[in-house]
Amino acid sequence: MSCLPGAGHRAAAPAPDTEAECSMDVILVGSSELSAPPSPELHRDLIAYEVKANQRAIEDVCICCGSFQVHAQHPLFEGGMCAPCKDKFLDYFFLYDEDGYQSYCSICCAGETLLICENPDCTRCYCFECVDTLVGPGTSGKVQAVSNWVCFLCLPSPQSGLLQRRRKWRERLKAFYDQESESPLEMYKTVPVWKREPVRVLSLFGDIGKELTSLGFLENVFGSGRLRYLHDVTNIVRRDVESWGPFDLVYGCTPPLGQACDRPPGWFLFQFHRVLQYSRPQPGSPQPFFWMFVDNLVLTKDDCAVATRFLETDPVTIRDIGGRAVRNAVRVWSNIPAVRSRHSALVPQEELSLLAQDRRRAKAPAPGPAALVKSCFLPLREYFKYFQQNSLPLHK
């Protein structure tokens, strides 16, 4: 998969605001063509024909694949979604690549070649197939030739061809996940760029400041995002946490395998859960609040069951693979979007047990979990401010 920006460089784009967006080079296409160019999908090339020639309502067509078997409405743009495309959207919409952009098309959550929005506060991508099918034939080529192209969610105009942005699409996105996802956890509504504040982090037992700084969430300047790191929370009480807070993200982890520790692994779980309760916003608060607990394969099977019960979510296994071998892995419990997506495939318990045994026999402690879970924080760009000078590379 590859991502292609417009002709200009992202760094040259002006700071985003309502008025500045209007001055950017944009494409507004209202195609009069009745059919789109050939598409790999069987029915997708008929979307424009069905809507324009047969007067079929676009809400009755899956805008991701062209199917007429509509299961739900697309949360971002007017149009339907069939059940398979709905499942794909739930699994992949919040996945990000290491460069900080979404891994897949914001419309269909697929696509081989992607166009990236050059609004510096937007991370969205769009595949050639969606753009040419829904906006107009040849639009993807025109986008490539444009300097400082901004996407269909950033444009001042809500409609380009058949692609029409939904009103209050952030609320629709939250409702879509709340209603359609099998997860018991509700998703927070994403935050408009102009309302995003620097993230406030409480990091327990492991310091993730370096990782968050490299992602652009923290600056080395007072007041530009902040992190409080606590190694031992034995004597920490609620009033301490409330006086330091409020916090937007609470992180905790067990010690790496092989590291000498005078506390049982379960202690870290129970202390994390205790402090997490102190940190939560008041019930009903719209404040986005995220948490993550990482196990370096030191918790027992019973400990893991307790963690799942206390944290009210199942763990995923995030792994580092070299060739066909798993070199390192961690278990993660979290409410951050996409942590439980398909990119975090489960590893057989036997393989994890063997890996843990190898780590215990090793003289050096296992690497910390930060490198493995670092990319899991990227979806937080939808909620909190990030700083361009510290952010990831801008081009694929």
Side-chain angles (χ1 to χ4, degrees):
M1 174 177 19
S2 60
C3 282
L4 300 174
H9 296 286
R10 173 176 285 270
D17 58 53
T18 305
E19 296 181 358
E21 286 179 359
C22 297
S23 66
M24 291 183 176
D25 293 328
V26 300
I27 290 180
L28 292 172
V29 179
S31 174
S32 60
E33 299 287 340
L34 294 183
S35 62
S39 172
E41 292 80 3
L42 181 61
H43 303 292
R44 200 169 191 196
D45 58 338
L46 299 177
I47 294 178
Y49 182 85
E50 286 292 331
V51 173
K52 293 185 176 182
N54 290 344
Q55 299 298 302
R56 184 185 293 269
I58 198 167
E59 300 285 22
D60 296 333
V61 183
C62 176
I63 62 173
C64 303
C65 73
S67 170
F68 299 148
Q69 303 298 315
V70 170
H71 171 82
Q73 302 305 304
H74 198 288
L76 306 181
F77 300 98
E78 291 191 1
M81 296 182 81
C82 65
C85 288
K86 179 266 297 184
D87 292 339
K88 185 186 298 183
F89 191 96
L90 290 171
D91 282 335
Y92 297 126
F93 182 75
F94 279 103
L95 291 187
Y96 284 69
D97 285 349
E98 292 183 356
D99 61 5
Y101 294 108
Q102 286 185 312
S103 300
Y104 299 99
C105 173
S106 292
I107 300 172
C108 68
C109 283
E112 290 298 321
T113 306
L114 304 176
L115 299 161
I116 63 174
C117 178
E118 294 194 77
N119 178 340
D121 283 297
C122 182
T123 59
R124 311 218 179 275
C125 300
Y126 300 81
C127 70
F128 279 28
E129 293 82 4
C130 279
V131 171
D132 288 339
T133 299
L134 298 171
V135 181
T139 303
S140 61
K142 297 176 184 177
V143 168
Q144 286 182 266
V146 166
S147 174
N148 297 336
W149 176 72
V150 296
C151 77
F152 310 105
L153 290 177
C154 295
L155 284 172
S157 172
Q159 184 165 6
S160 299
L162 296 180
L163 196 63
Q164 181 158 341
R165 181 173 66 237
R166 289 199 187 275
R167 292 184 65 254
K168 299 183 178 180
W169 61 266
R170 297 179 187 278
E171 295 179 10
R172 296 289 295 263
L173 180 64
K174 169 179 165 47
F176 181 81
Y177 268 82
D178 290 346
Q179 295 167 10
E180 301 292 342
S181 177
E182 296 179 357
S183 166
L185 295 173
E186 287 193 358
M187 195 193 83
Y188 293 99
K189 185 177 72 172
T190 58
V191 178
V193 170
W194 58 91
K195 291 185 178 180
R196 294 174 193 170
E197 298 289 339
V199 68
R200 299 161 296 188
V201 184
L202 179 59
S203 186
L204 309 178
F205 322 127
D207 188 354
I208 56 170
K210 179 180 178 181
E211 287 69 32
L212 293 179
T213 300
S214 70
L215 293 176
F217 287 113
L218 301 174
E219 267 190 334
N220 294 319
V221 179
F222 179 78
S224 298
R226 59 183 174 84
L227 178 145
R228 177 176 285 271
Y229 168 58
L230 300 174
H231 178 68
D232 188 348
V233 298
T234 305
N235 297 319
I236 300 301
V237 296
R238 181 181 293 273
R239 65 173 176 270
D240 295 323
V241 177
E242 291 178 348
S243 66
W244 299 328
F247 293 104
D248 306 303
L249 170 65
V250 178
Y251 170 87
C253 64
T254 58
L257 277 164
Q259 177 177 303
C261 184
D262 58 357
R263 305 202 184 265
W267 180 88
F268 295 91
L269 165 64
F270 290 117
Q271 294 297 329
F272 172 81
H273 181 264
R274 180 175 69 87
V275 176
L276 178 63
Q277 306 317 304
Y278 300 161
S279 308
R280 291 185 182 277
Q282 293 295 320
S285 170
Q287 173 195 340
F289 178 77
F290 300 99
W291 55 268
M292 176 186 289
F293 184 74
V294 181
D295 171 36
N296 286 285
L297 304 185
V298 300
L299 293 179
T300 65
K301 183 178 179 180
D302 289 343
D303 287 336
C304 289
V306 171
T308 298
R309 187 170 74 253
F310 276 39
L311 300 175
E312 299 181 347
T313 185
D314 293 322
V316 298
T317 302
I318 298 179
R319 52 192 176 166
D320 175 26
I321 300 178
R324 295 183 178 180
V326 178
R327 298 183 299 193
N328 194 18
V330 292
R331 295 187 188 93
V332 179
W333 290 261
S334 180
N335 73 334
I336 295 177
V339 166
R340 283 180 288 172
S341 296
R342 289 178 184 173
H343 80 301
S344 303
L346 291 175
V347 177
Q349 183 60 40
E350 296 78 10
E351 190 172 2
L352 290 179
S353 298
L354 291 173
L355 177 62
Q357 292 174 21
D358 291 341
R359 290 299 189 196
R360 290 190 182 96
R361 285 194 295 265
K363 295 182 180 179
L372 284 180
V373 302
K374 177 179 175 179
S375 63
C376 293
F377 297 114
L378 284 170
L380 299 185
R381 287 193 171 193
E382 300 284 350
Y383 300 90
F384 304 108
K385 182 178 179 180
Y386 66 96
F387 305 96
Q388 198 69 34
Q389 61 266 38
N390 288 331
S391 59
L392 292 165
L394 294 178
H395 295 290
K396 290 188 183 240

